[in-house]
């Protein structure tokens, strides 16, 4: 099924390979080599071409990831709209599995949406027509253009923020957790009256400015302890965090 003999790489792809794959220093010219490997399936020996010399000077840059988009009723059904395109999931491992936080706006029983492969309607994922998964289901299998008729995803309506994992290989969508707000709580506010964080959709992070910040603290969802984040391995139900030096801070939280 292979019909082409060429592939075009972007400067970004080469740059990230040099930094992440080879751990080459930033802004330093480095002699390296490139070659092509070929095999059939996963059971046969790989054959390599001769190596070609290449000098690369890696540049400092923010890594970018493949995305799938989430257009829906909450943003006018416009996957091409630059103002709302950042409701997306990211492919961090390059394996067809996408994940991340989405801000779907205020809870709305009429909320509906789909996943699209690009910022258009050429290819999308939805609920198989005729199926009725339970509301807020932890898992649901979606189908795409190749799977048949599909309806909008209409079962996640109770919260504003959702953390999803979407396996585009199998269509399995996982609802990991959801909440309406996340805040900072600790000695600064008597472990109550959370400092509610805003969400920057373009940067995919929560943030809040806190004056005279000191002592121990944690992050928690919906001003309750059912779901909270702390130290140690920095996961749900972790230990308290602590401000090393009292002062005025902008605090960021990446989920």
């Amino acid at each position: 099924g292979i019909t082409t003999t060429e592939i075009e790489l972007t400067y970004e792809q080469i740059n990230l390979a040099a930094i992440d794959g080879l751990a080459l220093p930033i802004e330093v010219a480095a002699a390296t080599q490139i070659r092509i490997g070929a095999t059939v399936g996963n059971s046969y020996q790989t054959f390599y071409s001769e190596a070609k010399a290449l000098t690369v000077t890696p540049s400092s840059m923010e890594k970018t990831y493949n995305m799938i988009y989430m257009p829906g009723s909450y943003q006018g059904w416009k996957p091409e709209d630059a103002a709302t395109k950042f409701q997306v999931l990211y492919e961090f491992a390059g394996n067809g599995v996408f994940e991340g936080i989405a801000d779907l706006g205020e809870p709305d029983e009429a909320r509906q949406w789909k996943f699209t492969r690009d910022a258009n309607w050429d290819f999308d994922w939805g609920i198989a027509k005729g199926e009725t998964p339970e509301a807020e289901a932890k898992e649901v299998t979606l189908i795409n253009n190749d799977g048949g008729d599909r309806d909008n995803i209409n079962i996640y309506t109770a919260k504003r923020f959702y953390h999803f994992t979407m396996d585009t290989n199998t269509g399995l969508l996982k609802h990991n957790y959801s909440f309406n707000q996340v805040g900072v709580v600790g000695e600064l506010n008597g472990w109550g009256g959370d400092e509610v964080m805003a969400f920057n959709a373009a940067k995919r992070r929560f943030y809040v400015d806190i004056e005279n910040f000191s002592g121990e603290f944690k992050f928690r969802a919906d001003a309750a302890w059912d779901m909270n984040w702390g130290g140690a391995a920095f996961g749900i139900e972790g230990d308290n965090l602590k401000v090393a030096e009292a002062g005025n801070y902008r605090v960021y939280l990446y989920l």
Side-chain angles (χ1 to χ4, degrees):
I2 298 174
T3 59
T4 60
T5 57
E6 295 181 355
I7 186 171
E8 184 175 288
L9 300 178
T10 65
Y11 284 118
E12 179 186 48
Q13 289 173 307
I14 297 173
N15 194 60
L16 290 174
I19 296 172
D20 292 350
L22 301 178
L24 297 179
I26 302 296
E27 303 299 342
V28 177
T32 184
Q33 296 178 329
I34 188 169
R35 61 181 180 172
I36 297 173
T39 188
V40 179
N42 297 317
S43 303
Y44 297 92
Q45 177 183 353
T46 301
F47 291 88
Y48 293 100
S49 69
E50 292 183 4
K52 298 294 184 180
L54 192 68
T55 299
V56 296
T57 305
S59 299
S60 178
M61 63 182 295
E62 185 172 344
K63 187 171 183 177
T64 59
Y65 300 93
N66 293 329
M67 302 178 290
I68 53 175
Y69 296 78
M70 301 175 64
S73 59
Y74 67 97
Q75 53 84 262
W77 294 104
K78 295 180 178 179
E80 74 284 358
D81 192 333
T84 54
K85 72 177 183 179
F86 292 111
Q87 301 316 313
V88 299
L89 303 185
Y90 290 90
E91 184 186 30
F92 292 114
N95 59 357
V97 178
F98 295 74
E99 65 176 293
I101 284 279
D103 179 1
L104 302 182
E106 295 302 317
D108 182 359
E109 292 183 358
R111 180 194 293 153
Q112 301 183 46
W113 50 278
K114 280 186 173 182
F115 287 112
T116 62
R117 185 164 58 191
D118 298 300
N120 55 51
W121 289 108
D122 293 349
F123 196 91
D124 64 76
W125 288 264
I127 296 174
K129 191 171 287 293
E131 289 190 7
T132 55
E134 64 179 17
E136 308 298 314
K138 287 300 181 183
E139 293 186 359
V140 59
T141 298
L142 307 178
I143 62 171
N144 57 35
N145 296 41
D146 300 326
D149 293 337
R150 55 216 172 275
D151 290 325
N152 299 329
I153 302 167
N154 60 0
I155 59 174
Y156 301 107
T157 64
K159 301 290 185 178
R160 174 174 177 174
F161 298 100
Y162 283 83
H163 191 287
F164 289 119
T165 300
M166 173 63 183
D167 188 338
T168 59
N169 304 297
T170 63
L172 181 63
L173 173 64
K174 294 183 179 181
H175 166 206
N176 301 312
Y177 53 85
S178 53
F179 53 85
N180 286 319
Q181 70 174 49
V182 63
V184 178
V185 62
E187 292 181 301
L188 77 154
N189 47 28
W191 294 99
D194 302 36
E195 300 287 337
V196 179
M197 308 184 81
F199 184 65
N200 183 322
K203 293 291 187 180
R204 316 308 302 168
R205 65 189 181 193
F206 293 89
Y207 68 95
V208 64
D209 293 331
I210 302 178
E211 295 183 356
N212 302 317
F213 193 12
S214 64
E216 295 188 347
F217 72 98
K218 295 187 83 172
F219 300 95
R220 68 177 181 175
D222 295 335
W225 290 109
D226 302 44
M227 184 163 52
N228 63 84
W229 295 266
F234 197 79
I236 292 178
E237 298 296 342
D239 298 332
N240 292 345
L241 298 163
K242 189 173 183 178
V243 179
E245 182 179 350
N248 300 333
Y249 288 89
R250 171 161 288 188
V251 182
Y252 295 106
L253 174 64
Y254 294 86
L255 293 176

